[in-house]
Amino acid sequence: MDPLRETLTRVANELGFVLVGFARLRPLSEHEDFYRRWLADGGNASMTYLAREPERRLDPRQLDARYRSVVSLGYPYAARATPEVDWRAEMRGRIAAYALGRDYHDVVKKRARAVGNVIRQLRPGSTTRTYVDTGPVFEREWASASRIGWFGKNTMILNREHGSYFFLAEIFTDVEFDATTEPYREHCGSCRRCLDLCPTGALADGYVMRSDLCISYQTIENRGAIPRELRPKIGNWIFGCDICNDVCPWNDDHASDDSADDLLPRLPELLALDDEQFGIRFTVSAVKRAKRRGLLRNVAVALGNTRNPDAIAPLARAIETESEPLIRSHAAWALGEIGGATARRALERALRDRDTAVRREAAAALETN
């Protein structure tokens, strides 16, 4: 092995990266038609940033003409084995495994930059730029080109030893590296678990992800109302979703145990968070991306999906005291899902809400209650 590659691999491993790969930069012309067709079909939903700077996404040398290679890194995180609790009876939500603990952007990018520093130290005058889920970069395409895994049917990069539970980082550099191994063979075979078990049907054949149907998109990126037809299918997911990872056979041996309080936070407690409390609880967490209004909107939906009468009181209180119409409107929907005389009285009061969307949700809920 080239001494520089060997050193980079060793340092990356010492920093916690379990996957290290190299590839020569080139235009990703084989992905261009798929990418443009996906955008034209609305696959990116409201994420307009995914359509920006297509030339730079397809060829990182548009970022800097000096770049010649990419170092792709995989940093593992733990899958979570769901505790044996009745989330409806206990009114607990669920957060995607990657968002538990400190925000991965901060952790992984700091370590990836340390790998990039080694390149500049050993090759004085060289240049590097590091990305971790940021910027106009096709990270999965470069991970595949760097031979650290294959494209799974769940649209994730999969690796035989590490499944899909790892973050990706890319280091673009003017140092020349070639991929020295054969392409990572595809191992999904005839398995369709991720496609068939996605509750919203967000995944389709041909490695297609419909963002507007994805639970992760709806609970994180969507800044407005969650479509009514999707709300019951979201279950108790309040930030992200792990279903297409959890059902993958390559992830069967990667689950770790957590307490119910760590993995399944109590929904009524979350619905009561004010701005200051939200900031304190999630300041170093990836959950902050949803913002308070988005997270509590999701919490209201999950409470409705519990169908638990004990959820009526916190939902009714939210309608009475919450300043955000988005949260109040979803709380009204949730009360309609639970039903009963107490929920109905709260919904009748919501008909006098100052916000049109809240009144509309309350009226629709009363029609079915």
Side-chain angles (χ1 to χ4, degrees):
M1 180 184 288
D2 170 58
L4 179 57
R5 292 168 62 107
E6 186 174 0
T7 300
L8 289 176
T9 301
R10 175 179 56 78
V11 170
N13 291 160
E14 290 172 352
L15 289 167
F17 293 100
V18 295
L19 300 172
V20 184
F22 302 83
R24 183 69 63 90
L25 292 181
R26 58 179 177 76
L28 293 170
S29 54
E30 70 272 27
H31 297 283
E32 183 171 4
D33 288 345
F34 179 93
Y35 168 58
R36 295 189 184 278
R37 186 169 62 251
W38 181 74
L39 291 175
D41 291 341
N44 59 326
S46 66
M47 297 180 289
T48 56
Y49 59 86
L50 292 177
R52 295 180 198 144
E53 304 178 292
E55 292 78 14
R56 295 174 73 178
R57 293 180 184 276
L58 291 163
D59 187 353
R61 292 173 300 181
Q62 297 290 327
L63 298 166
D64 190 322
R66 295 174 295 175
Y67 293 158
R68 292 293 179 268
S69 307
V70 60
V71 183
S72 293
L73 305 169
Y75 190 89
Y77 65 96
R80 262 52 182 194
T82 308
E84 294 295 326
V85 299
D86 185 338
W87 67 267
R88 293 179 174 84
E90 297 192 20
M91 294 187 292
R92 292 179 180 268
R94 188 169 178 191
I95 295 173
Y98 80 85
L100 298 173
R102 191 173 184 85
D103 190 340
Y104 70 93
H105 295 90
D106 301 330
V107 175
V108 179
K109 194 164 190 176
K110 180 179 180 180
R111 299 186 181 207
R113 281 176 170 166
V115 178
N117 289 340
V118 174
I119 297 177
R120 295 197 303 276
Q121 291 166 4
L122 297 181
R123 293 289 177 86
S126 62
T127 184
T128 64
R129 185 181 297 189
T130 302
Y131 290 93
V132 177
D133 195 21
T134 55
V137 175
F138 280 154
E139 57 181 2
R140 288 169 296 175
E141 284 77 0
W142 288 116
S144 174
S146 300
R147 321 303 203 217
I148 66 174
W150 78 91
F151 264 98
K153 293 179 182 178
N154 62 0
T155 74
M156 307 289 186
I157 292 295
L158 291 168
N159 178 277
R160 291 185 65 181
E161 286 74 38
H162 301 283
S164 58
Y165 280 102
F166 52 88
F167 302 113
L168 293 173
E170 302 78 43
I171 304 170
F172 294 116
T173 179
D174 58 351
V175 176
E176 295 189 354
F177 295 110
D178 286 320
T180 57
T181 60
E182 293 297 316
Y184 207 114
R185 189 166 63 85
E186 188 269 342
H187 291 282
C188 288
S190 61
C191 179
R192 292 179 49 89
R193 287 191 198 176
C194 57
L195 285 79
D196 296 339
L197 297 178
C198 175
T200 58
L203 294 168
D205 288 316
Y207 308 95
V208 175
M209 162 69 76
R210 277 279 306 275
S211 297
D212 60 332
L213 296 178
C214 178
I215 293 174
S216 286
Y217 167 80
Q218 290 296 338
T219 57
I220 302 173
E221 300 295 336
N222 180 10
R223 302 304 184 185
I226 297 174
R228 289 179 187 170
E229 65 273 15
L230 294 182
R231 295 173 194 174
K233 300 177 181 180
I234 286 176
N236 67 331
W237 291 101
I238 58 173
F239 186 89
C241 177
D242 280 330
I243 293 173
C244 64
N245 285 320
D246 285 346
V247 302
C248 177
W250 292 104
N251 286 322
D252 284 350
D253 297 327
H254 298 285
S256 64
D257 294 326
D258 292 88
S259 70
D261 287 335
D262 290 335
L263 185 59
L264 304 173
R266 298 181 184 277
L267 295 168
E269 293 177 8
L270 293 178
L271 193 62
L273 293 177
D274 60 23
D275 288 329
E276 181 180 6
Q277 292 165 336
F278 175 83
I280 292 172
R281 182 160 181 168
F282 296 111
T283 186
V284 297
S285 167
V287 174
K288 65 181 180 292
R289 179 169 178 79
K291 304 187 183 301
R292 175 183 174 274
R293 69 193 298 266
L295 181 68
L296 270 60
R297 170 203 61 187
N298 304 338
V299 168
V301 170
L303 279 169
N305 288 334
T306 68
R307 304 291 181 93
N308 188 333
D310 290 339
I312 293 175
L315 288 166
R317 190 178 307 115
I319 292 178
E320 295 290 339
T321 63
E322 174 55 53
S323 62
E324 287 282 357
L326 183 69
I327 300 170
R328 298 200 306 274
S329 63
H330 286 69
W333 173 86
L335 286 172
E337 293 298 292
I338 299 170
T342 305
R344 187 173 185 85
R345 286 193 293 271
L347 288 168
E348 289 170 346
R349 292 193 297 273
L351 291 174
R352 301 189 294 274
D353 194 276
R354 60 188 179 277
D355 185 82
T356 302
V358 179
R359 297 196 300 271
R360 187 183 305 119
E361 289 284 1
L366 283 168
E367 288 181 4
T368 59
N369 192 322

